[in-house]
Amino acid sequence: MQTTSILHATAAFTLLSTTLAFAIPQPHPDGEDDRSQAPHFEIAGDGENTEKFPLKATEVKATISGVIAEVTVQQTYANTGTTPIEATYIFPASTRAAVHGVEMRIGERVIVAEIQEKTKAKATYEKAKNENKTASLLEQERPNVFSMSVANILPGDEVKVTLNFSEKLTATDRVYEFVYPTVVGPRYSNKDAKTEKWVGNPYLNEGVNTPATFAAEVKVRSGMPLQSLTCTSHQAEIEFSSEDQASVSLPPSGEAGNRDFVLRYRLADAQVVSGLLLHEGEDENFFLLNVEPPERVLPEQIPARDYVFILDVSGSMNGFPLNTAKSLMRDLLGGIRNTDTFNVLLFAGESRLLSETPLPATPENIARGTDLTQLARGGGGTELLPALKRAMAMPQNEGTSRSIVVVTDGFVNIEREAFDLVRSELGSANLFAFGIGSSVNRWLIEGMARAGMGEPFFVLHPGEASQTASRFRDYISSPVLTDIQVRYEGFEAVDIQPESFPDVFADRPIELIGKWKGAASGRIIVTGQGGAGPYESSFDVSSEAEKGKDNPALRPLWAREKVRTLADDAKLQSHMRGSNANDETRQEITNLGLTYGLLTEYTSFVGVDQTPREVLAKLKTVSQPLPLPKGVSNHAVGHGQVTVSHSGGSPGSTGAAPEPSVMGLLLITAMGLMFHRHRQTDQ
């Protein structure tokens, strides 16, 4: 008995030592200072008389009709200082947003922005700025991160910039969700700061709200009776005008702009919108098909699986996000069957493994994995790529199907590198990505899951952890539909997105969007293999055409999906077709942006008021400081740099490791609990 207790104590000490390594911020693996390109706390603009917060308000108005949301975002900029300014503002967007219009209003003058090739648009903007003209420039930094620049805002000026976008909504597990992100979380970067300037945007101190207000007004026209409608992120007012129509209002508030605005609704009897939408244009015709999947059927025998859980314990995860992730990990580990194997990898600036080989899912091993995750603290950088490489190179037991599960807030700027890595090295495994927190980098989470032929999940707070873990277990147990094929009879469909379909794990409609030529007639047939056997669903095009062929939103939505597909496949095409493939893809995306008036990585919107202004002082460039997302601590920014609040409070140091006495208390308490547990086991 005594020998067993000593062995348990030794194992417990080893586990705790590994865990405590993450309680101290980790250095960059190459020994470099990882703070040089990090976002930072500061107030931009020189001098006491410079306007420090030029963005005054953001107002979102959206109308949801069926499965399409038409959204207008109005940003109001003003200069209450005495110095002319150029305002720059970094803001997020939905990963599905197709931005197809921008206009600028100065007093009574309205300037409609033009879509131009990105470098040309930048040159147009800089020329106008140097000529003392008020100008606006909207650029895409990421598919879900935009930057707005407004030049020559004179003292006393108010400039309103309005952008319009369309978005396709999808039901997951019979629940529709409209998400409007309000703030870009701080991004960890070890790239050259000159190529990623937006990553260095200043942030406000933890808990400090921006003076800029955020307001939203959403009208829901579902076309079918609504069973429920909730705003899970904010205390919004909801009013029903009929069984299928409702409005959601969020009044202006500075506190509201530090987290995603999330609206969820369910149709009566858990229905989903299924059918065909058509748009007949002057030069091109477009269609959008939504196919309701079959019901999930759980098999009697589920093959053994090997799980690799990758948990982000970096500085941005410190506090609320990591606590949420711990709740999720507890539920995920608790749901593993005894026929499965698993491993746990924690990562920040470096990574730590629970075991060098897969562990059987015994109660003792599950307890070890749970202990490792529950004792972790957030600190250090976010070296996601080395963690992914290490996990995908780990040995796997024969006869098991591997699933890699990534749990992170996604606050990095190496999204495409992560997608490419998953595609090239994942092998036969699936990857499932869990986004944790109030303002997740959804492009990373969705993109990794798509590249890994898995599913994305989002956990906004600890209360959603158990339900999300349960959904994951259902998905893993049995896909809803496999071997999906689409054929067209008497209907000439072209330029269809996507070109092929992975297995469908979630209870989510199958979607495809494309163009069509000739008559709106014939049939579209979707087949596959469901849990209960062969599946087939057929749609009569003529019948759907009788309902109408006027859905203009399909035009930018198709172009946006085509751009996404091209961007995702660019690196893969480069490997297969040679070094010119990326140049070809860039030109194709540019042409799509110019043809369809769409904001892309290579096309931007620029608007110029041709009336020169009387600029009596040197122009100051002011980067609008952003609030930290709700629940994100100062550990996410600068890893311990001095902070400044917008009210001019005293600087303070952040990101430091706990005092030795606290660390000692943690060690003693944890060791005591482990000795107690193992002593009970021995007895």
Side-chain angles (χ1 to χ4, degrees):
M1 292 292 183
Q2 188 175 13
T3 303
T4 304
S5 297
I6 293 173
L7 291 174
H8 282 319
T10 304
F13 183 80
T14 302
L15 170 63
L16 191 58
S17 299
T18 302
T19 302
L20 289 177
F22 281 95
I24 303 173
Q26 298 294 320
H28 190 282
D30 297 327
E32 300 171 359
D33 186 348
D34 60 11
R35 297 178 296 178
S36 57
Q37 291 88 37
H40 55 282
F41 295 103
E42 72 171 36
I43 299 305
D46 298 330
E48 292 296 324
N49 297 322
T50 299
E51 170 59 63
K52 295 179 174 66
F53 293 88
L55 178 71
K56 300 305 179 186
T58 297
E59 183 179 5
V60 175
K61 292 186 177 181
T63 299
I64 299 172
S65 300
V67 296
I68 295 176
E70 295 286 0
V71 186
T72 298
V73 181
Q74 180 176 274
Q75 298 171 349
T76 300
Y77 297 86
N79 185 355
T80 60
T82 61
T83 304
I85 62 171
E86 174 192 26
T88 63
Y89 174 48
I90 302 295
F91 63 101
S94 165
T95 55
R96 289 174 168 242
V99 180
H100 50 76
V102 178
E103 69 176 31
M104 177 175 64
R105 180 183 293 271
I106 310 169
E108 298 300 320
R109 301 191 303 279
V110 177
I111 297 92
V112 178
E114 298 179 0
I115 191 75
Q116 296 181 2
E117 189 274 327
K118 191 169 190 174
T119 55
K120 181 180 177 181
K122 182 70 171 179
T124 300
Y125 173 81
E126 292 294 335
K127 182 175 183 293
K129 182 173 72 172
N130 293 333
E131 292 175 350
N132 295 339
K133 297 175 181 178
T134 300
S136 65
L137 178 67
L138 178 65
E139 299 176 291
Q140 176 182 302
E141 305 292 351
R142 294 288 189 274
N144 63 334
V145 179
F146 301 158
S147 65
M148 180 72 77
S149 300
V150 183
N152 290 312
I153 307 177
L154 303 188
D157 273 357
E158 182 176 270
V159 179
K160 295 180 182 291
V161 181
T162 302
L163 55 145
N164 302 294
F165 69 84
S166 303
E167 179 178 354
K168 167 73 171 62
L169 303 185
T170 302
T172 300
D173 297 328
R174 310 282 162 157
V175 176
Y176 287 89
E177 184 177 76
F178 171 74
V179 178
Y180 182 83
T182 65
V183 64
V184 176
R187 298 294 197 260
Y188 170 80
S189 176
N190 54 21
K191 293 183 177 181
D192 183 357
K194 294 180 181 179
T195 62
E196 297 281 359
K197 290 183 179 180
W198 69 273
V199 174
N201 196 81
Y203 280 81
L204 298 173
N205 221 330
E206 177 183 352
V208 176
N209 295 322
T210 173
T213 61
F214 172 80
E217 181 179 318
V218 182
K219 295 179 180 179
V220 180
R221 308 288 183 263
S222 62
M224 302 172 70
L226 289 162
Q227 176 178 312
S228 64
L229 174 64
T230 59
C231 182
T232 59
S233 57
H234 296 75
Q235 291 184 339
E237 297 179 3
I238 300 177
E239 293 185 3
F240 284 82
S241 55
S242 66
E243 65 177 6
D244 65 346
Q245 297 188 21
S247 61
V248 181
S249 299
L250 181 69
S253 168
E255 183 273 337
N258 65 354
R259 58 197 182 278
D260 292 354
F261 176 81
V262 181
L263 189 67
R264 293 172 180 163
Y265 62 95
R266 182 187 292 267
L267 301 178
D269 300 323
Q271 299 179 81
V272 296
V273 178
S274 182
L276 181 66
L277 292 178
L278 299 168
H279 177 66
E280 193 170 49
E282 294 181 3
D283 303 317
E284 295 178 303
N285 306 320
F286 301 86
F287 74 92
L288 171 66
L289 181 66
N290 286 280
V291 184
E292 183 176 359
E295 292 187 5
R296 185 187 308 278
V297 177
L298 296 179
E300 294 182 3
Q301 292 185 342
I302 301 174
R305 302 195 72 88
D306 175 51
Y307 296 94
V308 180
F309 297 99
I310 305 174
L311 176 60
D312 180 355
V313 293
S314 64
S316 63
M317 290 285 288
N318 186 70
F320 166 80
L322 187 54
N323 291 338
T324 303
K326 289 178 180 179
S327 298
L328 175 68
M329 287 298 302
R330 189 185 304 112
D331 289 318
L332 289 174
L333 289 169
I336 299 177
R337 296 167 302 142
N338 57 13
T339 55
D340 297 330
T341 57
F342 78 101
N343 212 331
V344 178
L345 185 150
L346 307 184
F347 79 94
E350 297 177 347
S351 62
R352 295 287 187 274
L353 263 177
L354 175 64
S355 171
E356 291 299 326
T357 57
L359 293 173
T362 63
E364 294 78 14
N365 287 334
I366 295 294
R368 285 178 59 194
T370 303
D371 288 342
L372 179 64
T373 60
Q374 298 307 304
L375 288 172
R377 289 183 61 252
T382 313
E383 292 292 339
L384 173 62
L385 295 180
L388 286 173
K389 289 180 181 178
R390 187 175 185 183
M392 289 187 287
M394 288 170 54
Q396 178 181 350
N397 292 342
E398 292 185 6
T400 61
S401 178
R402 169 164 285 181
S403 292
I404 294 178
V405 180
V406 183
V407 182
T408 178
D409 56 17
F411 288 167
V412 294
N413 73 329
I414 40 81
E415 295 96 337
R416 285 206 174 95
E417 292 90 331
F419 306 158
D420 295 336
L421 178 63
V422 171
R423 287 193 191 95
S424 62
E425 298 189 22
L426 187 62
S428 61
N430 292 106
L431 186 145
F432 296 82
F434 287 76
I436 305 296
S438 63
S439 190
V440 175
N441 182 358
R442 290 173 181 256
W443 185 43
L444 176 75
I445 302 302
E446 294 171 357
M448 284 198 301
R450 187 166 55 247
M453 299 296 182
E455 289 285 344
F457 299 83
F458 297 96
V459 185
L460 303 183
H461 52 76
E464 295 183 346
S466 179
Q467 181 182 7
T468 306
S470 178
R471 285 171 50 211
F472 170 71
R473 288 193 290 271
D474 288 343
Y475 292 5
I476 281 291
S477 299
S478 175
V480 172
L481 196 63
T482 62
D483 192 25
I484 301 169
Q485 303 291 328
V486 182
R487 69 178 189 270
Y488 306 90
E489 296 179 352
F491 181 66
E492 189 178 356
V494 296
D495 288 332
I496 303 157
Q497 307 297 324
E499 296 179 355
S500 61
F501 296 89
D503 294 348
V504 177
F505 288 93
D507 183 359
R508 179 186 300 119
I510 302 156
E511 303 173 358
L512 63 152
I513 189 168
K515 300 178 184 179
W516 54 278
K517 296 180 178 180
S521 60
R523 293 196 309 157
I524 304 176
I525 302 104
V526 179
T527 61
Q529 188 69 32
Y535 168 86
E536 180 174 309
S537 184
S538 176
F539 297 84
D540 185 274
V541 178
S542 299
S543 297
E544 298 293 338
E546 292 176 359
K547 301 176 185 177
K549 294 181 287 184
D550 184 23
N551 294 284
L554 299 189
R555 187 174 187 271
L557 288 174
W558 173 86
R560 181 70 181 85
E561 186 63 18
K562 180 68 173 179
V563 166
R564 184 195 66 78
T565 302
L566 288 169
D568 281 355
D569 294 343
K571 193 69 172 286
L572 182 62
Q573 292 172 3
S574 178
H575 289 314
M576 296 173 62
R577 294 163 45 201
S579 59
N580 293 328
N582 281 338
D583 292 337
E584 294 173 10
T585 300
R586 176 180 183 132
Q587 189 58 54
E588 191 170 356
I589 292 175
T590 300
N591 292 339
L592 284 166
L594 296 176
T595 301
Y596 294 94
L598 197 69
L599 180 70
T600 72
E601 185 178 2
Y602 306 118
T603 53
S604 306
F605 280 99
V606 60
V608 178
D609 182 2
Q610 295 299 334
T611 305
R613 313 294 301 280
E614 187 177 1
V615 180
L616 301 177
K618 184 179 179 181
L619 192 69
K620 301 289 186 182
T621 299
V622 181
S623 297
Q624 175 88 14
L626 304 177
L628 284 172
K630 184 177 181 180
V632 174
S633 74
N634 287 341
H635 290 249
V637 180
H639 308 304
Q641 289 182 224
V642 171
T643 67
V644 179
S645 69
H646 85 260
S647 58
S650 302
S653 177
T654 65
E659 293 294 329
S661 59
V662 177
M663 292 289 289
L665 179 61
L666 174 63
L667 176 63
I668 294 169
T669 303
M671 285 292 290
L673 289 172
M674 289 181 176
F675 271 117
H676 179 68
R677 174 191 294 173
H678 294 302
R679 188 172 182 181
Q680 286 183 324
T681 303
D682 292 343
Q683 293 174 349

